[in-house]
Amino acid sequence: MIHEIEISEALSLGLPIVDVRSPGEFKRGHIPDAVNIPLFSDEERAEVGTAYKQESREKALELGLNFVEPKLQSFIQKSEQSAPDRRVCVHCWRGGMRSESFAKHLHENDFMDVFRIKGGYKAYRRHVQSSFEESLNLNILGGYTGSGKTHILLEMKRNGEQVIDLEGMANHKGSAFGGIGQDEQPSTEHFENILFHEIRNSDPSRPIWVEDESINIGSVQIPQPFYRQMQDSLLYFLEIPKEERIKHLVEEYAGCKNERLADSIRRISKRLGGLRKKNALENLDQENYQQVASIALEYYDKLYAKGMNKRKDREVVIIKLSGTDHAANAKKIEQISGAYV
């Protein structure tokens, strides 16, 4: 049987979701955990669209049918792999002909329940964006560069805290050096989808820890409503001696290719100034990574201090730590934060 359902119901069912849009559409953004079984390749979709615009709807339908017919059996096989109990949700871009024809094909081939999402992926995107307006219980972990904030948050997650790793989701560490050694970044659209998925699977009665970030993490932008909540939430700010942070940065980046590090130094050259840029590049050539890190921190520490000065009306808990033992630091933060529950 084919059922027409709203996106909220589709997400609550917990069934496999099949996205029948083209691979390019899917890559730009999709429902996390959805499986892409495209009716058309990117090239085929473009041809069908051109036929619709330049010739007629009938010509586009005929061309689309010619593209789809050889794939019909593979659609069933791939759908069975994703939904072995033959119950599945299906969607396309707007809940139009692609999902309609796919759902009908599954139903005609003995799928017990096929749930077709009204409004398709477009309805999902509206649902995602409106969700960021809802109030959240956030705790923000901040601190100067080299404090190991992401490592600490992952330790806290292992200890049972709720953590959303924004930098992990964005495949970027946030600074000019943040893309080194990372996979390709998702689109901002898909980053929002992942963030929504993480929030949706969290317990609203317990705090969610996130790292203090600029609104942009590399090429990805944090949704404005979520970012505003971050700015208004309690900030736990780590103060760790510069020497310890330098050691941590050297451990993290010394194994990277010098060319990538040099590119990152040049990216902040205007902020560093000509002399510090020159010194940083010379020390990099000599593999004096401690000095490179020290020069970079002159810039980043001033940047963080400037940001802190803008938060005069925001409650900040300063946590002084002696080093970058992430497990020990995580436990101390958990102990201190317990007093603010």
Side-chain angles (χ1 to χ4, degrees):
M1 186 173 181
I2 299 176
H3 312 266
E4 300 282 328
I5 60 171
E6 302 292 341
I7 183 61
S8 55
E9 184 181 355
L11 294 174
S12 66
L13 285 174
L15 291 176
I17 296 175
V18 171
D19 183 335
V20 303
R21 296 175 303 147
S22 70
E25 292 174 285
F26 186 82
K27 184 179 180 181
R28 275 194 300 276
H30 56 268
I31 300 174
D33 299 328
V35 176
N36 188 211
I37 306 178
L39 255 70
F40 305 127
S41 68
D42 294 329
E43 296 76 17
E44 289 167 347
R45 177 172 174 261
E47 286 189 48
V48 170
T50 299
Y52 186 89
K53 290 177 182 177
Q54 297 183 358
E55 298 184 53
S56 65
R57 182 175 184 272
E58 290 71 25
K59 181 62 179 177
L61 288 171
E62 179 186 347
L63 184 60
L65 185 60
N66 290 338
F67 285 143
V68 165
E69 278 189 336
K71 307 175 190 176
L72 291 175
Q73 187 55 40
S74 72
F75 290 161
I76 298 300
Q77 292 170 348
K78 291 175 182 177
S79 298
E80 286 174 338
Q81 291 170 3
S82 302
D85 66 351
R86 292 176 170 264
R87 300 180 74 241
V88 68
C89 288
V90 175
H91 76 85
C92 57
W93 165 234
R94 290 185 299 190
M97 290 183 63
R98 285 186 288 179
S99 61
E100 182 181 8
S101 60
F102 196 94
K104 184 178 179 183
H105 180 56
L106 294 185
H107 175 62
E108 290 172 348
N109 283 271
D110 301 323
F111 271 70
M112 290 190 301
D113 290 298
V114 182
F115 297 87
R116 183 165 165 259
I117 299 173
K118 293 179 183 178
Y121 178 71
K122 191 174 182 180
Y124 170 75
R125 285 293 298 155
R126 287 196 297 268
H127 186 69
V128 167
Q129 291 172 317
S130 65
S131 76
F132 295 129
E133 299 289 349
E134 297 172 10
S135 180
L136 297 168
N137 182 7
L138 298 180
N139 280 342
I140 312 301
L141 184 65
Y144 293 112
T145 298
S147 299
K149 299 182 288 293
T150 298
H151 297 285
I152 291 170
L153 285 173
L154 294 178
E155 288 288 345
M156 294 173 71
K157 187 172 185 178
R158 281 189 278 271
N159 294 343
E161 298 287 343
Q162 291 194 127
V163 171
I164 293 179
D165 180 8
L166 296 174
E167 293 184 358
M169 289 160 41
N171 293 335
H172 200 283
K173 296 177 183 177
S175 71
F177 299 82
I180 295 175
Q182 301 291 309
D183 293 333
E184 179 185 0
Q185 287 199 262
S187 66
T188 291
E189 177 181 311
H190 192 56
F191 175 83
E192 291 178 352
N193 295 348
I194 303 169
L195 178 58
F196 164 75
H197 183 73
E198 290 289 316
I199 295 170
R200 185 173 175 274
N201 288 323
S202 65
D203 180 351
S205 69
R206 299 172 55 218
I208 300 171
W209 286 88
V210 299
E211 187 171 338
D212 196 24
E213 304 283 356
S214 300
I215 194 165
N216 294 307
I217 308 176
S219 63
V220 164
Q221 186 175 85
I222 297 171
Q224 288 276 2
F226 184 84
Y227 186 70
R228 285 196 295 270
Q229 291 199 55
M230 288 176 62
Q231 294 296 99
D232 293 337
S233 298
L234 181 61
L235 171 67
Y236 295 85
F237 193 87
L238 310 182
E239 286 192 354
I240 298 175
K242 184 177 179 180
E243 296 74 20
E244 295 298 317
R245 292 186 286 118
I246 287 172
K247 289 179 188 175
H248 173 68
L249 289 172
V250 170
E251 288 174 6
E252 192 143 295
Y253 287 104
C256 302
K257 291 182 178 180
N258 280 8
E259 308 91 82
R260 294 293 306 276
L261 293 170
D263 286 343
S264 297
I265 291 168
R266 294 187 188 98
R267 205 169 295 136
I268 57 171
S269 60
K270 288 184 179 179
R271 304 286 181 89
L272 282 176
L275 182 58
R276 282 189 292 186
K277 169 198 165 185
K278 180 174 177 289
N279 289 340
L281 291 173
E282 286 176 353
N283 279 281
L284 182 60
D285 286 339
Q286 298 163 15
E287 298 188 354
N288 186 358
Y289 297 112
Q290 285 193 326
Q291 190 59 29
V292 174
S294 180
I295 294 169
L297 286 184
E298 290 179 34
Y299 160 64
Y300 281 111
D301 283 3
K302 286 181 182 178
L303 187 67
Y304 268 99
K306 185 178 180 181
M308 286 287 284
N309 289 334
K310 293 179 179 178
R311 296 185 176 116
K312 291 179 180 177
D313 298 329
R314 178 183 178 185
E315 189 174 1
V316 179
V317 179
I318 303 294
I319 303 177
K320 295 183 181 293
L321 300 167
S322 60
T324 55
D325 181 330
H326 309 311
N329 290 348
K331 288 180 180 178
K332 185 165 184 178
I333 294 163
E334 289 165 16
Q335 290 170 355
I336 291 173
S337 66
Y340 289 85
V341 174

